Amino acid sequence: MKRVFLILSMVLFCSLATTTVAQKFALIDMEYILKNIPAYEMTNEQLNQLSEKWQGEVDALQQEAQNMYKNYQSDLVFLSAEMKTKREEEIIKKEQEAQELKRKYFGAEGELYKKRESLMKPIQDEIYEAVKAISEDKGYQVIVDRASAMSVFYASPKIDISNEVLAKLGYSK
């Protein structure tokens, strides 16, 4: 009976020992890292300028549709039924054109999304490779992004490796 108890105790101890081996965790702050990468800031500025340009085009079409509607309203009493219908169709067509342009530029798979993806992907890939290399060098099992992890209430600054990532990328802090 003592042997069985001893064997069970050893098995339990061994299983606990292997599961409680200290795992190494680290944190990064993606927002902090990105703010300290000049290429990211330039890319953001470029995207903002492009967005403003495209928004200007959309606004111009919407303004044109509004002007057409105002003119239609003022001319309404002088128009025949046929002319009313024709002008209404023109206004609707202009509004649809504005909506289509807006969707083309700013939609879920629009030009802005594609441009952001093409410009940001190389930066994100570079950061990922740096994090991966640090993880492999230092033996981290998990690295959590503090900026996007909603369930991290507190984490010791000692495990934040954001500055190491920046150093690995060549942007020493």
Side-chain angles (χ1 to χ4, degrees):
M1 185 68 163
K2 288 183 180 180
R3 276 189 176 172
V4 172
F5 181 74
L6 183 64
I7 291 173
L8 284 174
S9 297
M10 299 258 303
V11 168
L12 182 63
F13 176 76
C14 289
S15 67
L16 287 175
T18 58
T19 58
T20 59
V21 172
Q23 294 183 355
K24 290 179 76 176
F25 295 91
L27 289 175
I28 60 170
D29 187 340
M30 253 330 231
E31 289 176 12
Y32 172 77
I33 292 170
L34 291 172
K35 284 179 185 174
N36 287 287
I37 296 177
Y40 176 77
E41 293 298 322
M42 290 187 313
T43 298
N44 257 350
E45 183 60 34
Q46 184 180 357
L47 288 171
N48 287 339
Q49 289 174 357
L50 196 56
S51 176
E52 288 174 11
K53 175 186 170 217
W54 287 341
Q55 186 62 49
E57 291 177 29
V58 171
D59 290 345
L61 275 177
Q62 289 174 334
Q63 186 61 47
E64 195 175 327
Q66 285 178 344
N67 291 341
M68 288 172 72
Y69 182 72
K70 286 177 185 174
N71 290 339
Y72 168 76
Q73 290 285 24
S74 64
D75 296 343
L76 193 59
V77 292
F78 305 113
L79 297 175
S80 67
E82 183 180 306
M83 286 300 292
K84 286 180 188 178
T85 305
K86 182 179 179 194
R87 298 265 297 264
E88 288 169 358
E89 288 172 357
E90 289 173 354
I91 294 168
I92 291 170
K93 183 179 177 188
K94 189 59 73 176
E95 289 172 343
Q96 288 173 341
E97 190 179 325
Q99 287 301 318
E100 183 57 39
L101 189 62
K102 187 175 184 177
R103 196 174 11 258
K104 175 186 172 194
Y105 287 149
F106 302 109
E109 293 291 323
E111 295 297 320
L112 187 63
Y113 173 82
K114 291 175 186 174
K115 189 72 169 173
R116 182 181 317 277
E117 180 100 356
S118 70
L119 294 174
M120 293 295 190
K121 185 144 177 52
I123 296 169
Q124 291 170 334
D125 288 347
E126 188 178 11
I127 293 169
Y128 172 77
E129 290 302 322
V131 169
K132 183 179 171 188
I134 291 170
S135 173
E136 290 171 356
D137 290 347
K138 301 221 175 172
Y140 295 121
Q141 280 79 31
V142 176
I143 298 180
V144 178
D145 178 12
R146 175 189 307 235
S148 65
M150 295 172 62
S151 62
V152 175
F153 295 110
Y154 172 78
S156 171
K158 295 176 187 174
I159 63 171
D160 190 329
I161 62 167
S162 299
N163 286 327
E164 288 181 55
V165 173
L166 285 169
K168 185 88 171 167
L169 294 169
Y171 306 105
S172 295
K173 243 333 197 182

